[in-house]
Amino acid sequence: MQIFAEGNFLSRNMSLVLEPPLLPRDIHGAPPEGFLTKLSEVIGSFTTLRKMALFWCKIVTEIRRLWSEELYIPGIPLDEIPDLNSCRLYQQLQVVNSCVSRKKWRTLATQSIESVMRHAGSCSEESADLQGTVTSHHILYARISTGELVLRLGADRPADNLTMLETGEPVYSPITQEGPLLTEDLIKETEEFVLRTGSVGAGCSQLLSDMQAFKAANPGCILEDFVRWHSPPDWTEGEPSDEAQEYVDQVDSSSTRGQLSSRMQKEGNLWRELWETAKPVPAVKQAPLFDVDLAVEGILNDLEDIPPVELFEQLFISLLGLGFVMAEAKLSCNNDLLKIFLECKDYVVVTCQGKIWSDKMDDLCQVYETVETMLLNPEEVLKAARQMEETNTVGEPRRRLKMLGLSFGSKERNSRNPSKDEKNSEENSSRQPFSTFFDGKSSLFLKKPPRPESVSFGDKAAYQDENENDWTIV
């Protein structure tokens, strides 16, 4: 099975809940049905750090290839803003796919607008007039105050029955540039920069870009038209008040149908200054506000140089979330087991939301083993729970879970190497969906770490001599 094969890498018999699971987002993991969780499973099956490192380097190389060919990473949303409730690695992969979408859109939009301009140049003004403001080829025109028809560029759709104040032509919403794609760490950096410097440069750039796109889509428009479309609360319909009449006379516009807000009328208003400098340029012809090539290159470099501890923490949490989602689907029909499971789930959520959850890795593994035993030997768990109740064992959930784990944890670890007959019987049991995660082969859940070897994730030369060039996972 190829990990990058579209639609095939999630073909295991996963019994997931029908509603979108909340646990992976609560613990800052990754969606259970996605690429990153599958990657966690595969890397967790390796027994040495060297094999993990070599495989990760190949993953990054493959992602780089997909980007260069404008192909999507399978199992990751195609065009969504980063999910800040997921782990940083998943957010970065979301950015890569969204950048692929934006790159493809820009290419198609550029070709489309150039085709419109070529066709408009071959059409006479009379033919456009016969069709009103739209020709048979869906080319839009606007008649300016001089009576001349001017081509609309980058127009999206009519804007809520608005008409331009000076010309009476319908206002069209322009296609605008999308904002930056920021992961959680970049948002924090941006906020710190703004607080430290007081800069509003990014906001001004976006506003200027919107103004230029609006001018291109609405020839003959004025600032008041843009404000009515972009910021309706800053426009009041009706006759201007006496105190605003002087301003209306100064700008000599057709604003008698309404007035701008007081902040828009103040001298030196930033909107008016930007409006005066804005040129009619459609969004696709403007310099990008967000450089997708630079953003993805930075992410790929981060993935190549990611410290192993950061990678494994995110993979561990993603795999942990998948296990609990699958377990909940199976245990929800047994009220007694469900009660214990929910205690395990709550403990995992509270622990993982802490800033030093990695210090409690042993506790998380023990809780995970408790859930494993609930699936494989439910009677054993219920028996241990009843014994605690009969002896009036009370206390915080962590203590209860720890006692449950001690009741069967060591026994379970001693049975990690079942006989051949036991293996065959297990494969035919209800354990099948958990064969990858609960059979002791996932080194991400071993108490002892995999054998260390002197290989860093950024050492590309280390795997170039390897013969493992096939993506097939045996």
Side-chain angles (χ1 to χ4, degrees), residues 231-278:
S231 182
D234 282 307
W235 177 261
T236 303
E237 295 289 347
E239 294 293 332
S241 60
D242 294 338
E243 58 186 15
Q245 186 62 47
E246 182 179 353
Y247 167 80
V248 173
D249 295 338
Q250 289 176 354
V251 299
D252 189 26
S253 71
S254 301
S255 304
T256 54
R257 293 172 52 183
Q259 62 176 326
L260 294 170
S261 65
S262 57
R263 79 180 183 104
M264 290 292 179
Q265 297 178 24
K266 289 182 179 179
E267 185 177 354
N269 177 265
L270 177 62
W271 285 50
R272 183 163 294 280
E273 292 180 359
L274 291 176
W275 181 261
E276 292 173 353
T277 61

Side-chain angles (χ1 to χ4, degrees), residues 182-303:
L182 300 179
T183 56
E184 186 177 16
D185 55 320
L186 292 180
I187 289 177
K188 291 180 180 179
E189 290 180 10
T190 303
E191 291 176 346
E192 292 173 357
F193 176 78
V194 171
L195 291 175
R196 186 173 64 252
T197 64
S199 171
V200 292
C204 288
S205 299
Q206 182 70 61
L207 182 59
L208 178 61
S209 173
D210 291 348
M211 286 181 172
Q212 293 189 138
F214 186 85
K215 281 188 174 182
N218 299 280
C221 63
I222 58 177
L223 174 62
E224 284 79 355
D225 297 324
F226 176 76
V227 171
R228 291 160 64 217
W229 169 76
H230 194 282
S231 182
D234 282 307
W235 177 261
T236 303
E237 295 289 347
E239 294 293 332
S241 60
D242 294 338
E243 58 186 15
Q245 186 62 47
E246 182 179 353
Y247 167 80
V248 173
D249 295 338
Q250 289 176 354
V251 299
D252 189 26
S253 71
S254 301
S255 304
T256 54
R257 293 172 52 183
Q259 62 176 326
L260 294 170
S261 65
S262 57
R263 79 180 183 104
M264 290 292 179
Q265 297 178 24
K266 289 182 179 179
E267 185 177 354
N269 177 265
L270 177 62
W271 285 50
R272 183 163 294 280
E273 292 180 359
L274 291 176
W275 181 261
E276 292 173 353
T277 61
K279 306 298 182 184
V281 183
V284 71
K285 291 291 186 179
Q286 299 175 18
L289 296 176
F290 179 72
D291 191 328
V292 295
D293 293 287
L294 184 62
V296 173
E297 187 61 33
I299 288 175
L300 292 174
N301 290 338
D302 284 346
L303 297 183

Side-chain angles (χ1 to χ4, degrees), residues 421-432:
D421 293 337
E422 289 173 335
K423 287 184 179 179
N424 293 335
S425 62
E426 286 173 357
E427 289 176 357
N428 297 325
S429 68
S430 60
R431 179 185 176 181
Q432 179 62 29

Side-chain angles (χ1 to χ4, degrees), residues 26-37:
D26 290 337
I27 64 177
H28 226 60
E33 72 281 4
F35 167 77
L36 189 57
T37 304

Side-chain angles (χ1 to χ4, degrees), residues 1-9 35 39 55 58-66 72-74 471:
M1 180 178 62
Q2 294 182 334
I3 195 171
F4 278 98
E6 288 280 2
N8 293 328
F9 68 97
F35 167 77
L39 177 63
F55 189 76
K58 289 185 177 182
I59 288 290
V60 177
T61 300
E62 183 69 2
I63 293 175
R64 188 180 290 278
R65 181 191 68 81
L66 292 175
Y72 294 106
I73 302 171
W471 282 99

Side-chain angles (χ1 to χ4, degrees), residues 20 112 150 154 240 249 271 298 346 355 438:
S112 176
V150 180
D249 295 338
W271 285 50
D346 291 342
K355 295 182 180 179
F438 295 136

